[in-house]
Amino acid sequence: MNSPYGQTRTRIAARHALLAPDGHVKGNVPGITGAVVVTLINPAMGARFAQLLVTFAAGGRAEFPGNTVETAGYFESGGGTVAIEGRKAKCGPGGYFFAPAGAAWSISSPRVGTRVTLFQKTFVPLAGVDAPRPIIGAASDVAGQPFLGDPDARLQVLLPDEPGFDLAMNVFTYQPGATLPFVETHVMEHGLLMLAGQGVYRLEDAWYPVAAGDAIWMAPYCPQWFVAMGKSPASYLYYKDVNRAAL
Ligand code: UGY
Ligand code: MN
């Protein structure tokens, strides 16, 4: 996108970041071929996880070995075949998966233009608790629950809410005018992709206009708030680390 005066909504701060699509620069990532990959968030920014945006071309493929890293993936558009060790299933728009640490996984035969977001982190095992299992699902099968009682702000929790899982991947959908009910300030970290609509995100002491395609990083304890604006619902996909000891 042309920016004759060097303007962008992108802002990288010490404890939060907004990445608008006009700043995207592709960079190859081992394991992903035939695709444009943008590493939106990773430890170089200060995060403890990575958020990748993958747009597949013809013949594209993702193939990762089983190691200490776990991956949660979400198909924003298009589709393809996900295989996690013995399991194999087709995912379309709204399809998602979780590949636990130690499990080799792949995405094959993607439709041209398929956009997939990958959240990756090093798994933190919890003694005495079963390690998380592979998951392949569809967001359309997950009911949106009113968030803290507000039917206009609905949360779809895509992964099992079980102590073995040390990450969550959710979709949050707001009717126009709906808000996060208070300014959240919490130890958990977030990576976020705006899927639809627009609004204003408060991050620390700044308020940002945001729209579909934008990505956000919120460090632990980054004060955060959102209001959906415009005439259609706003929704975002987000990552959160969960279920582990404070010390
Ligand atoms: O799960 C969450 O912490 C969520 N309510 N945060 C957010 O949407 N920024
Ligand atoms: Mn939050």
Side-chain angles (χ1 to χ4, degrees), residues 18-136:
L18 167 65
L19 297 108
D22 58 12
H24 288 183
V25 174
K26 66 180 180 165
N28 289 337
V29 167
I32 306 177
T33 50
V36 171
V37 184
V38 181
T39 301
L40 293 166
I41 298 170
N42 88 346
M45 186 179 269
R48 296 174 302 188
F49 68 98
Q51 179 174 334
L52 279 63
L53 180 63
V54 182
T55 306
F56 285 104
R61 187 173 176 85
E63 181 133 33
F64 283 77
N67 54 27
T68 56
V69 174
E70 59 191 349
T71 302
Y74 182 90
F75 284 74
E76 189 181 349
S77 63
T81 301
V82 174
I84 310 170
E85 293 200 314
R87 286 161 187 258
K88 205 174 199 182
K90 287 206 160 96
C91 283
Y96 66 90
F97 68 93
F98 173 76
W105 65 272
S106 65
I107 298 173
S108 58
S109 312
R111 284 203 283 281
V112 173
T114 293
R115 267 168 62 109
V116 179
T117 285
L118 302 175
F119 298 110
Q120 296 192 303
K121 79 180 278 291
T122 301
F123 176 57
V124 179
L126 187 57
V129 170
D130 286 345
R133 58 190 181 282
I135 308 268
I136 306 177

Side-chain angles (χ1 to χ4, degrees), residues 110-232:
R111 284 203 283 281
V112 173
T114 293
R115 267 168 62 109
V116 179
T117 285
L118 302 175
F119 298 110
Q120 296 192 303
K121 79 180 278 291
T122 301
F123 176 57
V124 179
L126 187 57
V129 170
D130 286 345
R133 58 190 181 282
I135 308 268
I136 306 177
S140 53
D141 294 335
V142 180
Q145 301 297 341
F147 186 69
L148 299 180
D150 183 354
D152 289 334
R154 286 187 181 262
L155 195 62
Q156 289 167 284
V157 176
L158 302 183
L159 301 179
D161 183 14
E162 296 171 5
F165 284 79
D166 68 345
L167 67 78
M169 180 169 67
N170 302 333
V171 175
F172 211 152
T173 302
Y174 299 73
Q175 296 306 309
T179 69
L180 263 182
F182 60 96
V183 182
E184 293 184 1
T185 308
H186 52 64
V187 65
M188 297 79 81
E189 192 174 11
H190 288 315
L192 181 156
L193 179 71
M194 289 293 298
L195 298 173
Q198 63 187 72
V200 172
Y201 230 105
R202 177 186 172 163
L203 302 167
E204 298 185 88
D205 292 332
W207 281 254
Y208 298 97
V210 296
D214 289 347
I216 293 174
W217 169 58
M218 296 173 232
Y221 297 110
C222 169
Q224 58 201 254
W225 178 84
F226 178 69
V227 58
M229 298 178 71
K231 295 193 171 181
S232 59

